[in-house]
Amino acid sequence: QEKAPESAGHMERSLLHDTLTTDWRLDAADRMDILATPDHVGDVWLEGSLLLDAPVGGLGFRLDGAGNGYFVEVQPGSSTVLLKKLLPMQRDSGQQWFRYVELQRGDLSHPPRRGDTMRFRLILSGPYIECSLDGEVVLATLSAERLSGRVGIWAESGSIAAIEPQWSPLRPLRHG
């Protein structure tokens, strides 16, 4: 049985700087910060509007408690949208480190301006990742390195808000 979309819930604290909040709004003046759901999700559909008043920011998903995971990056004034992956790894020496991978670049037909509101839709289904902004599918790819985690928003040196975010779990894909 399908579950109807519901409010994506309330946030409590940002991941990197422990900033208190009561909703999907983050002020990250002079730094980068991430606001994510307290619970992990797997396959999910997430939709709402983003209000980005920062030089860079966007969506985060499959995040761990330290803020590592997948990031959709939007830069006001640029039509390019990036999908990045930042995950912990261990070097041959045994030292903990991070691995950064740019998974995909997409293009919007019109670059957003700082302070614009953009509709977004994020679909995570097994390894499939799809992100739409203002009705345009800008990212669609596969990555199965991490299939669950927290979802949220992030910004650097400014603010971001997800307005009326709604989500619904998706049934896992079955083949055959």
Side-chain angles (χ1 to χ4, degrees):
Q1 179 175 341
E2 292 293 322
K3 187 174 178 184
E6 59 187 45
S7 170
H10 295 285
M11 304 295 198
E12 297 168 359
R13 295 179 178 273
S14 68
L15 294 179
L16 303 182
H17 298 285
D18 207 30
T19 304
L20 289 172
T21 186
T22 57
D23 55 18
W24 285 68
R25 295 180 188 280
L26 176 65
D27 184 12
D30 302 321
R31 62 182 180 221
M32 180 199 177
D33 210 349
I34 304 166
L35 191 59
T37 57
D39 298 321
H40 285 235
V41 297
D43 297 344
V44 69
W45 164 89
L46 175 67
E47 185 174 278
S49 294
L50 280 181
L51 174 59
L52 180 60
D53 189 11
V56 63
L59 301 168
F61 56 93
R62 297 179 180 168
L63 300 167
D64 63 18
N68 302 304
Y70 294 76
F71 298 90
V72 174
E73 178 180 294
V74 177
Q75 291 186 15
S78 172
S79 61
T80 301
V81 179
L82 299 177
L83 175 59
K84 306 184 302 184
K85 176 171 61 173
L86 179 67
L87 296 176
M89 63 172 274
Q90 193 168 7
R91 289 184 165 180
D92 292 339
S93 65
Q95 178 186 18
Q96 285 294 104
W97 201 247
F98 299 93
R99 184 169 43 85
Y100 168 86
V101 178
E102 185 179 297
L103 293 173
Q104 192 174 43
R105 286 177 177 256
D107 289 306
L108 289 164
S109 58
H110 302 288
R113 293 179 308 211
R114 189 169 174 160
D116 280 356
T117 300
M118 295 178 289
R119 293 285 308 156
F120 72 88
R121 177 179 295 137
L122 181 66
I123 299 171
L124 306 173
S125 181
Y128 183 68
I129 299 166
E130 180 180 300
C131 181
S132 299
L133 297 172
D134 282 338
E136 296 179 59
V137 176
V138 290
L139 302 167
T141 191
L142 300 171
S143 180
E145 190 166 355
R146 184 181 286 172
L147 296 175
S148 68
R150 299 162 79 174
V151 296
I153 54 177
W154 69 278
E156 187 171 338
S157 299
S159 64
I160 189 168
I163 301 164
E164 297 180 357
Q166 293 191 32
W167 65 1
S168 183
L170 299 176
R171 287 184 274 179
L173 293 175
R174 294 186 188 169
H175 301 283

